[in-house]
Amino acid sequence: MVNYEKEGAIKPLTEKKTESNFVTVECLLAFDKDEDKGRVLTLMRKFSSMVRFAYKRLMDGAERKDLKKLLSRKYGINVRYSDGAILLARQALESCVDRGQNPKKLVFGSRELFEQLKKKHLTGKRRDELRQKWEERRYGVLYSRGEKSKEGNLNLRLVNLSNQWHLRINLGNGEYVWASVIRSAKRKTDKWLDFISSIGHAEKTGDWFPYTVRLKLRNGKVYAQISTEEKFPELSVTKDNGVMGIDINAYPFHLAIVHTAKDGNLEKYERISLDSLLEGSSDRREYLSWQVAHQVVEIAKRERKAIVVENLEKLPKGKRGDGLPKLRQKLQKWVYKALLQKIEIVARRNGIQVIKVNPAYTSIIGKLKYAPLYNIDKDTAGAYVIARRGLGFKERMPKNYKQLLKDAEFLSYAIAKIEDKTAKLKQEIREEKNEYKRNRLKSTLWKTRKELDSLLRYLRGSGESESATQQTVNRKMERVRGLTHVRQKSWQVLSVALALSCLESLRDFSPLKRVIFARDWVGAAKRASPSIPGQGTTVLNLYSFV
């Protein structure tokens, strides 16, 4: 059995991810005969069953090539439909892993509807409506990917017959059913007009393009959702005039925008509140997300600057029992990645360059280096690092920070602070009676121990001579055998050490300015603790490294 809880356990269907955006239009299908509609509904039920079967086989580690042949033999359907079923199953599986959910507990047709149907008090018309909705979602799907060499789509193809568009539906066994396409353009800018025009041009010239078709059953009617790749205009705004770095933050929930010149210097910054994206229905949040995306792009057009965003793959959403229900609820509604995707789409439609950068350590570098230098908050500082990275600049660690990482007394003091914090957390866990609050404290303790390990690993790999202080630290390290001797990233180690020794608040980084310019970490630490090295009893006497 494949372990899908580990990151990267699922192999991608394709080795290379495209940067294309797809436009989807929907139309209603009308059948001349009830018999034809019935045959299509039977095909949809068969295809939906194929998806569920493929999902289970993928969880067992089945290969796509072998699974395609198996599905075709089992269901008596062509391999193109089988390939589409595998694709949908793969997407469902990857989605579960991305959300941190157990793939074995996925309910096709919506778990929310399934749980409502399990309630015994639900009867009558309301129950019938919910059951119909659930069954339509579970059994009413048909999907076929487009292909340029097959006149756009082989299984589900649009054809113009006597000035009326029809969808030719391959039943999977060489037989076809025809359905009339019912769709009116609501406005001149309707994407349907562009799509139909492109199809008509392809029929005349033979210059076909792939379009994907998905049939869905809704309220007893069959709808076709047709998706095709969107063509973007040439870039008119690039990073030659500077960039806008964008970072989305949870506390407070806002979008930080930093305007950066071509030479990497900070020009100005602003923010957009995103609190409205946590309220209302999912449809309303989707609408408001597009509004925010247009607002960001309008700023970029006005300033004539390219947009730099983080290239995100996965975001943690929390899990039940972690003792943080309000945070988990907020994260579940958090549209970080989706919002960045919308910003990218709107920007490319307006000819604005979008640059994606590696998000690693952008927040840490921002808060340690630029927040104290420019007297800005850490969110703005993180967006500034993103902008500079988009321009190709590499962040160098200030000289005094480098010297600080060689200061055994400073690192030992930070370790002692972590030990003190660990002891307090253990005591709170023993005294806490509430299970969920105790889980939250355990989570904090786990993170604190992880921070301690990062400092100990750094000291082990630093190669410094064995001072009395380090000998004490190394004795502490004897209990962590089996850990790899990989040196931790300097920025990460510095972040842990400074946060525990020099900062009262994780929002105010102004004390670090004196550390950057004068290396006076002792003076900065006075604000956080009355007991520091050189002030009375030494830190090694105050704390034990047991």
Short mmCIF file of all heavy atoms in Angstrom, two decimals, residues 409-440:
data_model
loop_
_atom_site.label_atom_id
_atom_site.label_comp_id
_atom_site.label_asym_id
_atom_site.label_seq_id
_atom_site.Cartn_x
_atom_site.Cartn_y
_atom_site.Cartn_z
N GLU A 409 28.42 32.06 23.46
CA GLU A 409 27.67 32.55 24.62
C GLU A 409 26.26 32.95 24.22
O GLU A 409 25.29 32.65 24.93
CB GLU A 409 28.41 33.74 25.23
CG GLU A 409 27.80 34.22 26.56
CD GLU A 409 28.59 35.37 27.16
OE1 GLU A 409 29.21 36.12 26.40
OE2 GLU A 409 28.55 35.51 28.39
N PHE A 410 26.14 33.59 23.08
CA PHE A 410 24.82 33.99 22.59
C PHE A 410 23.95 32.77 22.30
O PHE A 410 22.79 32.69 22.71
CB PHE A 410 24.98 34.84 21.33
CG PHE A 410 23.69 35.04 20.56
CD1 PHE A 410 22.69 35.86 21.05
CD2 PHE A 410 23.48 34.39 19.35
CE1 PHE A 410 21.50 36.04 20.36
CE2 PHE A 410 22.30 34.56 18.64
CZ PHE A 410 21.32 35.38 19.15
N LEU A 411 24.50 31.79 21.59
CA LEU A 411 23.73 30.60 21.26
C LEU A 411 23.37 29.79 22.51
O LEU A 411 22.27 29.25 22.61
CB LEU A 411 24.51 29.73 20.28
CG LEU A 411 24.75 30.34 18.89
CD1 LEU A 411 25.63 29.42 18.05
CD2 LEU A 411 23.44 30.60 18.18
N SER A 412 24.29 29.75 23.47
CA SER A 412 24.01 29.03 24.71
C SER A 412 22.90 29.71 25.49
O SER A 412 22.06 29.05 26.12
CB SER A 412 25.27 28.95 25.56
OG SER A 412 26.28 28.22 24.89
N TYR A 413 22.91 31.04 25.48
CA TYR A 413 21.84 31.78 26.15
C TYR A 413 20.49 31.48 25.50
O TYR A 413 19.49 31.26 26.19
CB TYR A 413 22.14 33.27 26.08
CG TYR A 413 21.05 34.14 26.64
CD1 TYR A 413 20.72 34.11 27.99
CD2 TYR A 413 20.32 35.00 25.81
CE1 TYR A 413 19.72 34.91 28.51
CE2 TYR A 413 19.31 35.80 26.31
CZ TYR A 413 19.01 35.75 27.66
OH TYR A 413 18.01 36.52 28.16
N ALA A 414 20.46 31.42 24.15
CA ALA A 414 19.22 31.11 23.44
C ALA A 414 18.75 29.70 23.79
O ALA A 414 17.55 29.46 23.99
CB ALA A 414 19.42 31.26 21.94
N ILE A 415 19.69 28.76 23.86
CA ILE A 415 19.34 27.38 24.21
C ILE A 415 18.77 27.32 25.62
O ILE A 415 17.80 26.61 25.90
CB ILE A 415 20.58 26.48 24.07
CG1 ILE A 415 20.95 26.33 22.59
CG2 ILE A 415 20.32 25.10 24.70
CD1 ILE A 415 22.23 25.59 22.35
N ALA A 416 19.39 28.09 26.54
CA ALA A 416 18.88 28.12 27.91
C ALA A 416 17.45 28.66 27.96
O ALA A 416 16.61 28.17 28.73
CB ALA A 416 19.80 28.97 28.79
N LYS A 417 17.16 29.66 27.14
CA LYS A 417 15.81 30.21 27.09
C LYS A 417 14.81 29.17 26.58
O LYS A 417 13.69 29.08 27.08
CB LYS A 417 15.78 31.44 26.18
CG LYS A 417 16.62 32.62 26.68
CD LYS A 417 15.92 33.38 27.79
CE LYS A 417 14.76 34.19 27.26
NZ LYS A 417 14.15 35.04 28.31
N ILE A 418 15.25 28.36 25.61
CA ILE A 418 14.36 27.32 25.09
C ILE A 418 14.11 26.26 26.15
O ILE A 418 12.99 25.76 26.32
CB ILE A 418 14.97 26.68 23.83
CG1 ILE A 418 15.08 27.72 22.70
CG2 ILE A 418 14.10 25.52 23.35
CD1 ILE A 418 15.66 27.17 21.42
N GLU A 419 15.18 25.91 26.89
CA GLU A 419 15.02 24.93 27.96
C GLU A 419 14.03 25.42 29.01
O GLU A 419 13.20 24.67 29.52
CB GLU A 419 16.38 24.66 28.61
CG GLU A 419 17.34 23.87 27.75
CD GLU A 419 16.94 22.41 27.65
OE1 GLU A 419 16.11 21.96 28.47
OE2 GLU A 419 17.45 21.71 26.76
N ASP A 420 14.11 26.69 29.32
CA ASP A 420 13.19 27.28 30.30
C ASP A 420 11.76 27.24 29.77
O ASP A 420 10.82 26.91 30.49
CB ASP A 420 13.63 28.71 30.59
CG ASP A 420 12.76 29.36 31.66
OD1 ASP A 420 12.54 28.71 32.71
OD2 ASP A 420 12.30 30.49 31.45
N LYS A 421 11.60 27.58 28.49
CA LYS A 421 10.28 27.55 27.87
C LYS A 421 9.74 26.13 27.84
O LYS A 421 8.54 25.90 28.10
CB LYS A 421 10.37 28.11 26.44
CG LYS A 421 9.05 28.18 25.71
CD LYS A 421 9.22 28.77 24.32
CE LYS A 421 7.90 28.81 23.57
NZ LYS A 421 8.07 29.37 22.20
N THR A 422 10.60 25.16 27.55
CA THR A 422 10.18 23.76 27.51
C THR A 422 9.69 23.28 28.87
O THR A 422 8.67 22.61 28.99
CB THR A 422 11.36 22.89 27.04
OG1 THR A 422 11.77 23.30 25.74
CG2 THR A 422 10.95 21.41 27.00
N ALA A 423 10.42 23.65 29.90
CA ALA A 423 10.04 23.25 31.26
C ALA A 423 8.67 23.83 31.64
O ALA A 423 7.83 23.14 32.24
CB ALA A 423 11.10 23.69 32.24
N LYS A 424 8.43 25.09 31.28
CA LYS A 424 7.15 25.72 31.59
C LYS A 424 6.01 25.04 30.83
O LYS A 424 4.92 24.84 31.37
CB LYS A 424 7.21 27.20 31.25
CG LYS A 424 8.12 28.01 32.16
CD LYS A 424 8.12 29.47 31.77
CE LYS A 424 9.03 30.29 32.68
NZ LYS A 424 9.08 31.73 32.30
N LEU A 425 6.26 24.68 29.56
CA LEU A 425 5.23 24.02 28.76
C LEU A 425 4.89 22.64 29.34
O LEU A 425 3.72 22.25 29.39
CB LEU A 425 5.69 23.88 27.31
CG LEU A 425 5.67 25.16 26.48
CD1 LEU A 425 6.38 24.95 25.14
CD2 LEU A 425 4.23 25.60 26.22
N LYS A 426 5.90 21.91 29.78
CA LYS A 426 5.66 20.61 30.38
C LYS A 426 4.79 20.73 31.63
O LYS A 426 3.88 19.93 31.85
CB LYS A 426 6.99 19.94 30.72
CG LYS A 426 7.78 19.46 29.52
CD LYS A 426 9.08 18.80 29.96
CE LYS A 426 9.86 18.28 28.78
NZ LYS A 426 11.15 17.66 29.17
N GLN A 427 5.07 21.76 32.43
CA GLN A 427 4.29 21.98 33.64
C GLN A 427 2.84 22.33 33.30
O GLN A 427 1.90 21.83 33.92
CB GLN A 427 4.94 23.10 34.47
CG GLN A 427 4.23 23.42 35.76
CD GLN A 427 4.24 22.26 36.74
OE1 GLN A 427 5.16 21.44 36.72
NE2 GLN A 427 3.23 22.18 37.59
N GLU A 428 2.66 23.18 32.27
CA GLU A 428 1.31 23.56 31.86
C GLU A 428 0.54 22.35 31.32
O GLU A 428 -0.67 22.23 31.55
CB GLU A 428 1.39 24.66 30.80
CG GLU A 428 1.87 25.99 31.34
CD GLU A 428 1.96 27.04 30.24
OE1 GLU A 428 1.39 26.80 29.15
OE2 GLU A 428 2.59 28.09 30.46
N ILE A 429 1.22 21.47 30.61
CA ILE A 429 0.57 20.28 30.08
C ILE A 429 0.10 19.37 31.21
O ILE A 429 -1.00 18.81 31.17
CB ILE A 429 1.54 19.52 29.14
CG1 ILE A 429 1.76 20.33 27.85
CG2 ILE A 429 0.98 18.13 28.79
CD1 ILE A 429 2.83 19.75 26.94
N ARG A 430 0.92 19.23 32.24
CA ARG A 430 0.53 18.39 33.38
C ARG A 430 -0.67 18.96 34.12
O ARG A 430 -1.52 18.22 34.63
CB ARG A 430 1.72 18.25 34.34
CG ARG A 430 2.83 17.32 33.83
CD ARG A 430 3.81 16.98 34.95
NE ARG A 430 4.54 18.15 35.39
CZ ARG A 430 5.74 18.50 34.91
NH1 ARG A 430 6.32 17.76 33.98
NH2 ARG A 430 6.35 19.58 35.38
N GLU A 431 -0.77 20.29 34.17
CA GLU A 431 -1.84 20.93 34.93
C GLU A 431 -3.12 21.11 34.11
O GLU A 431 -4.20 21.27 34.69
CB GLU A 431 -1.37 22.29 35.44
CG GLU A 431 -0.20 22.20 36.42
CD GLU A 431 0.32 23.57 36.81
OE1 GLU A 431 -0.17 24.57 36.22
OE2 GLU A 431 1.19 23.66 37.70
N GLU A 432 -3.02 21.11 32.78
CA GLU A 432 -4.17 21.37 31.93
C GLU A 432 -5.10 20.15 31.87
O GLU A 432 -4.67 19.03 31.57
CB GLU A 432 -3.72 21.74 30.51
CG GLU A 432 -4.86 22.07 29.56
CD GLU A 432 -5.73 23.19 30.06
OE1 GLU A 432 -5.19 24.30 30.29
OE2 GLU A 432 -6.94 22.94 30.27
N LYS A 433 -6.38 20.34 32.14
CA LYS A 433 -7.36 19.26 32.15
C LYS A 433 -8.10 19.13 30.82
O LYS A 433 -8.55 18.04 30.46
CB LYS A 433 -8.37 19.48 33.27
CG LYS A 433 -7.74 19.60 34.65
CD LYS A 433 -6.94 18.37 35.03
CE LYS A 433 -6.35 18.51 36.43
NZ LYS A 433 -5.52 17.32 36.79
N ASN A 434 -8.22 20.22 30.10
CA ASN A 434 -8.93 20.19 28.82
C ASN A 434 -8.08 19.50 27.75
O ASN A 434 -6.93 19.88 27.50
CB ASN A 434 -9.26 21.63 28.38
CG ASN A 434 -10.11 21.66 27.13
OD1 ASN A 434 -9.65 21.36 26.04
ND2 ASN A 434 -11.37 22.07 27.28
N GLU A 435 -8.66 18.48 27.12
CA GLU A 435 -7.90 17.67 26.16
C GLU A 435 -7.41 18.49 24.98
O GLU A 435 -6.24 18.37 24.54
CB GLU A 435 -8.78 16.52 25.65
CG GLU A 435 -8.10 15.66 24.59
CD GLU A 435 -9.04 14.61 24.02
OE1 GLU A 435 -10.18 14.50 24.53
OE2 GLU A 435 -8.63 13.91 23.08
N TYR A 436 -8.25 19.36 24.45
CA TYR A 436 -7.88 20.12 23.26
C TYR A 436 -6.86 21.21 23.56
O TYR A 436 -5.95 21.46 22.77
CB TYR A 436 -9.13 20.71 22.61
CG TYR A 436 -10.10 19.65 22.13
CD1 TYR A 436 -11.26 19.36 22.85
CD2 TYR A 436 -9.83 18.92 20.99
CE1 TYR A 436 -12.13 18.37 22.42
CE2 TYR A 436 -10.70 17.93 20.54
CZ TYR A 436 -11.84 17.66 21.27
OH TYR A 436 -12.69 16.68 20.83
N LYS A 437 -7.02 21.84 24.71
CA LYS A 437 -6.01 22.83 25.11
C LYS A 437 -4.67 22.14 25.37
O LYS A 437 -3.61 22.70 25.09
CB LYS A 437 -6.47 23.58 26.35
CG LYS A 437 -7.66 24.51 26.10
CD LYS A 437 -8.04 25.27 27.37
CE LYS A 437 -9.20 26.22 27.10
NZ LYS A 437 -9.60 26.98 28.33
N ARG A 438 -4.75 20.92 25.90
CA ARG A 438 -3.52 20.16 26.14
C ARG A 438 -2.85 19.79 24.82
O ARG A 438 -1.62 19.82 24.71
CB ARG A 438 -3.84 18.91 26.96
CG ARG A 438 -2.58 18.22 27.50
CD ARG A 438 -2.90 17.24 28.61
NE ARG A 438 -3.86 16.23 28.20
CZ ARG A 438 -5.10 16.13 28.65
NH1 ARG A 438 -5.54 17.01 29.55
NH2 ARG A 438 -5.91 15.17 28.25
N ASN A 439 -3.65 19.48 23.81
CA ASN A 439 -3.09 19.17 22.49
C ASN A 439 -2.39 20.39 21.90
O ASN A 439 -1.35 20.27 21.25
CB ASN A 439 -4.19 18.71 21.54
CG ASN A 439 -4.68 17.32 21.86
OD1 ASN A 439 -4.01 16.55 22.55
ND2 ASN A 439 -5.87 16.98 21.39
N ARG A 440 -2.98 21.57 22.12
CA ARG A 440 -2.36 22.79 21.62
C ARG A 440 -1.01 23.03 22.30
O ARG A 440 -0.03 23.41 21.66
CB ARG A 440 -3.29 23.98 21.87
CG ARG A 440 -2.74 25.31 21.36
CD ARG A 440 -3.78 26.40 21.51
NE ARG A 440 -4.19 26.54 22.91
CZ ARG A 440 -5.22 27.29 23.30
NH1 ARG A 440 -5.95 27.92 22.40
NH2 ARG A 440 -5.53 27.38 24.58
#
